[in-house]
Amino acid sequence: MTQATTNLVPTTVLITGMTCGHCVKAVQRALGEVPGIRVERVEVGSVTLWGVTGEEGIAKAIAAIRDAGYGARVDDARAEPRTGSCGCDGTCGSAIK
């Protein structure tokens, strides 16, 4: 394993609309076309990705999943916490990014 590979952090994306193995393969195929992303695991309802950097990389992965016909969003429970400048949980719109 190279140094670059060991420093990567996984990103979990939650997917809606998946119901079967065909859906899993469709998501794998869609993400396989996105340069720089390595699909670690696709299950009904989620995918774990490596090599996704920055918001642009995440947006490309989510767009690929949506283009395949599914809903997608980053798993907030595993995402980096964002706190609003007012001290709230970031829902007021003042989230620090």
Side-chain angles (χ1 to χ4, degrees), residues 2-38:
T2 66
Q3 181 65 28
T5 304
T6 59
N7 290 334
L8 297 176
V9 177
T11 300
T12 300
V13 176
L14 300 177
I15 305 171
T16 57
M18 294 177 72
T19 59
C20 64
H22 171 76
C23 299
V24 169
K25 291 201 183 299
V27 169
Q28 286 173 327
R29 194 169 34 256
L31 290 170
E33 296 176 8
V34 180
I37 293 178
R38 188 183 76 178

Side-chain angles (χ1 to χ4, degrees), residues 73-89:
R73 67 177 175 83
V74 173
D75 184 355
D76 292 334
R78 297 181 188 178
E80 193 175 301
R82 295 183 177 174
T83 306
S85 58
C86 66
C88 74
D89 63 0

Side-chain angles (χ1 to χ4, degrees), residues 48-79:
T48 303
L49 305 171
W50 289 84
V52 180
T53 56
E55 291 185 27
E56 183 180 339
I58 292 170
K60 286 180 181 180
I62 288 175
I65 295 167
R66 289 180 177 163
D67 287 348
Y70 305 96
R73 67 177 175 83
V74 173
D75 184 355
D76 292 334
R78 297 181 188 178

